[in-house]
Amino acid sequence: MTKIVEAAIEADPKLPIIHITRDFDATPEQLFRAHTDPKLFVQWNGPDSLANRIEIDYWDARTGGSWRWVSGRGDEQFAFHGCFHEVRPDLIVQTFTWEAQPDGVALETMRFEDLGDGRTRLHAQSLVDSFESRDAWLQSGMETGVNEGYARLEQMARDGKI
């Protein structure tokens, strides 16, 4: 099996969904922990320009829980919030809203596929409310943020920090 070292980011042609797939030299348990422990999440999420600039307002990573975090660059602030709909070791389903566009709510699903030998394939998808929203996300520079954040996550796994 070929290892996917950069996130494959694809638009679904029939639905307003973005699919992201990436392999990690990490176990599913490590990736689950990195996605649910706020102290770990703030260390890898987002582009390098916002690295370590995430402040957790609240975070309750359990089925029925919710979250909110704020990041910033210079005078700009970006706040996001959502709810955890399902949280279990192989799957996280949550909503995601950028507070500057409060009517835009995405439904995100992350699955952790065990590839064996301490490797995991992350399958993530974001369902947004329209094709226009999906295309705006894709043109926003999200690819840079996703790949830079996942590279930090991979390094954290190599360094034994998760």
Side-chain angles (χ1 to χ4, degrees):
M1 181 180 294
T2 303
K3 179 180 178 185
I4 302 169
V5 294
E6 275 208 12
I9 301 174
E10 301 171 338
D12 190 302
K14 297 181 179 175
L15 298 169
I17 294 177
I18 299 169
H19 298 280
I20 301 174
T21 307
R22 189 190 193 278
D23 292 352
F24 290 89
D25 288 327
T27 66
E29 294 80 13
Q30 288 175 300
L31 290 187
F32 177 75
R33 200 167 35 252
H35 282 80
T36 56
D37 182 330
K39 292 176 186 164
L40 297 174
F41 179 81
V42 300
Q43 295 178 50
W44 66 265
N45 189 56
D48 290 346
S49 64
L50 297 176
N52 297 317
R53 295 185 180 168
I54 296 175
E55 293 184 26
I56 300 291
D57 186 16
Y58 53 87
W59 186 276
D60 184 10
R62 62 178 176 84
T63 299
S66 60
W67 58 271
R68 182 178 187 271
W69 52 268
V70 179
S71 65
R73 180 184 314 122
D75 293 334
E76 294 179 291
Q77 280 205 333
F78 311 99
F80 305 89
H81 70 268
C83 297
F84 292 104
H85 287 258
E86 183 69 31
V87 178
R88 59 181 203 236
D90 66 329
L91 176 78
I92 298 172
V93 180
Q94 66 182 28
T95 58
F96 178 94
T97 297
W98 176 31
E99 293 182 1
Q101 294 181 349
D103 295 341
V105 180
L107 179 62
E108 299 186 327
T109 303
M110 290 159 274
R111 294 182 191 278
F112 308 107
E113 177 187 0
D114 189 348
L115 299 176
D117 297 326
R119 297 176 47 234
T120 302
R121 179 164 290 158
L122 170 65
H123 301 272
Q125 73 175 33
S126 297
L127 170 64
V128 298
D129 60 350
S130 68
F131 288 97
E132 291 78 18
S133 293
R134 180 198 67 192
D135 294 345
W137 279 40
L138 291 169
Q139 295 168 4
S140 71
M142 72 173 280
E143 183 175 348
T144 299
V146 167
N147 280 310
E148 290 177 352
Y150 285 166
R152 282 195 308 281
L153 176 56
E154 176 100 19
Q155 188 62 48
M156 288 172 64
R158 268 192 225 116
D159 294 343
K161 294 182 177 177
I162 53 175

